[in-house]
Amino acid sequence: MTDPDFTPSRHEERTLSTTPAAHPSLRELTRSEWRWTPTVGVAAVLLLVAIRIFAPAEWTSWMTDPAKDFVTLSVSVIIESLPFVILGILLSAVVQIWLPAGFLLRRLPRNAVLRRSVISLLGVLLPVCECGNVPLTRGLIVSGLSVADSMAFLFAAPIINPITIITTYQAFGWNDGILISRIVGGLVIANLVGFIYSTHPAPQTLLTRSFQAACAVDPHAEHGTRTRRTLISFGRESAAMMPALIVGAGIAGLIQVAVSRNLLITLGSNPLWSVLALMALAFIVAICSNVDAFFILSFGSTFLPGGIVAFLIFGPMIDIKMLALMRTTFTVRTLVQVSVLIAVCAAAIGLAVNLVF
Amino acid sequence: MSFSRLITRWKGLALTLLAAIATGWLGATGQLGLYIHPRYYVFTLVMAGIAFVLTIGALLVIPGPDEHDDHDHGMHGEPDGRGPDAHGDAGAGRRRPLLALGGSLTALVIVAAAAIALLVVPPSALTSAAVEQRSLNGSSNTLANAGPPPGTSDDTSAYSVKDWASLIRQGASADDLSGRTATLTGFVTPDADDPDNVFYVARFVVTCCAVDAQPVGVPVYSPGWSSSYATDSWVTVTGAFEANPSVLSAATTVVRPDSLTAVEQPAEPYVY
């Protein structure tokens, strides 16, 4: 907790944490929950498995084809993203609990521009796509990284993670400068966002209040063994991430069923429209950055390289699922600003690539 | 009050447990392929296993017997990722019970919806409704690796729907493919322009998960097909290529079926 901005809210937190004393029943409830928890856990597991095995197909036989596709697509997003979200939560716990306090922050350069550059490059070490980066970024903010710096990490990491770079290379090689434009463009935008928000007078107000409160609890000051704290942190982060993931997956599935892709794809061969249409496609498809290169490659010659670059830069940073996940951490106002800023930058880079190559 | 508190404390674990169990069950019954590319099977199952263990572990330690309510503030009033600001205040539940209740109800609805989608609805492959949304054979490059049309000596018995669709897409005419017999398995989807006489034997090509699936298909000329075969049912077609007799259909080369039989949906309905 090196950031002085944390102090007031932390103080407030201390005050708040004494309020339960006024509600003696809360403490009692905690005890009684503790007693029935293991039984309920086992019962819940058995119940869920039983539902899955015995639920008759007739219950849902009334569903129309679009309704079935909606469920299939949403479930597909959940199952594909779940491992990365879990991995992100675990890495976040490692940063907060298993690494010594300030392990990361102490090693960062003091110069602001240099520090953000280093942070935006940290993603090279982490094979986590965008959905896993949200819990990790939350962990970094809780550990004391400034909001602006953590944004530089959040937006750069999915693009420069090693798997993304390899798959983009496999898909496009060095053709049309797509790989280079993606990496450089992603880093430039992430650093730009970081720079712009570093001038914000009250960076804490960019965060949702509930997350500000979560930041105010210093994880290193919590008691209990590390394993225990890891499990508690897992419970806390999954409470924030999982509902957002479900909602994001639902919206992504709904849009896929409702919006025809044909129009977007038809627009893809026009120098200007290709950039905008493919950004719209990236937004609604909400595909993982690790494999988006293969996805867009499958449309191959239909699209101009600038459109593809805009897709590959914009998609990992902003899409339906990401907005739902980031909403756990940033205010709506912040997300709108960031989305517009990134969209404009990605479009500019895409158009530039169309003109140059 | 205690209701809201219970929900905020357990919803994340409940959802993780749901998703982990659903994933494990799909893996155990060999149906993961309906949702994701096989290259992710191991990673997905391992992470689902870890999620399961962590959830059980978390169930055992939260809330511990000596736990103070410190942790609660982070979870309190973080209802669903959509409206944390409205009721996101630490301790909002104490000051604004109605908002906290609303947040809890939203969370309950999300958990219920996830349970239905993940555990109650039987797993299914994408349908023809998705074909309409995604332009059949519209993704050129999925189909671009086909190489030149096969010579007469080449063995084409193992060619799939995707292989033949690539050849036709690249402009292989009925002449190029004359004397070739194709055996194709896929689901039935009607031709947009001449649904009475022409249908496609189609498959979805998946690069990562069902979200990015692109339909590919080979047109089959068979007047009155819809009286015998339902859209989305699976068939195996054997037949030779010829120029499309249909005047309405945009397809140039079609398969004229020698035999057309209904089959079960294969275990891996998508191609890669």
Side-chain angles (χ1 to χ4, degrees), chain A residues 34 37 256-257 261 291 327, chain B residues 40 59-60 81 133-134 214:
Chain A
W34 164 244
T37 293
Q256 296 242 348
V257 174
R261 259 186 217 171
V291 291
R327 183 69 188 87
Chain B
Y40 298 112
L59 281 172
L60 293 178
Q133 294 284 9
R134 300 182 175 193
Q214 286 297 326

Side-chain angles (χ1 to χ4, degrees), chain A residues 7 101 109 155 170 196 269 295 317 328 342:
Chain A
T7 324
F155 294 121
Q170 284 175 340
I196 288 175
S269 48
F295 171 71
M317 299 187 180
T328 59
I342 292 178

Side-chain angles (χ1 to χ4, degrees), chain A residues 76-86 131-132 245 286 321:
Chain A
S76 157
V77 173
I78 295 171
I79 292 192
E80 191 261 331
S81 311
L82 180 73
F84 291 103
V85 172
I86 301 291
C131 13
L245 174 64
K321 186 178 66 183

